[in-house]
Amino acid sequence: MNRHIVAAMLAVVCTACVPPTIKTSAVAPVGDGTYLVVSKPSYNTNWNDIRFQTLQVARDYCAGQDQKMLAINTRTHGTTRVGDQDLELRFRCAP
């Protein structure tokens, strides 16, 4: 087999073995008791996983204040198949 074909096949296999990652920002206050969390995943990441992790960061933040998280708005930008995507969650902490 041609060594270029073997190298290309190996690159595809190695890419498939790399687990998707999600980078989530710190919770940032945006005013009027509202907070923002932004998650930026690697390519080929499931939107449900992105959403779950983002919500969990917000829940943990509010739980640290003995409160519950109340989601206000969720926005997505981009697509997980192409890259350069993110999910924004605006939320409040309520008793």
Side-chain angles (χ1 to χ4, degrees), residues 35-37 54-55 58 69 71-74 87-91:
Y35 300 93
L36 175 69
V37 174
T54 307
L55 288 168
M69 188 273 297
I72 297 173
N73 187 9
T74 303
L87 182 138
E88 293 180 0
L89 170 65
R90 291 181 186 268
F91 68 97

Side-chain angles (χ1 to χ4, degrees), residues 20-81:
T21 58
I22 303 169
K23 296 178 184 173
T24 305
S25 72
V27 174
V30 291
D32 198 26
T34 302
Y35 300 93
L36 175 69
V37 174
V38 179
S39 291
K40 294 184 178 275
S42 62
Y43 96 102
N44 205 22
T45 305
N46 184 310
W47 274 116
N48 289 328
D49 294 340
I50 301 165
R51 184 174 180 274
F52 177 81
Q53 182 168 322
T54 307
L55 288 168
Q56 192 60 49
V57 167
R59 284 187 201 110
D60 291 347
Y61 180 81
C62 292
Q65 301 175 19
D66 292 326
Q67 296 185 344
K68 293 186 179 185
M69 188 273 297
L70 174 63
I72 297 173
N73 187 9
T74 303
R75 293 176 47 181
T76 58
H77 305 98
T79 174
T80 57
R81 298 284 179 217

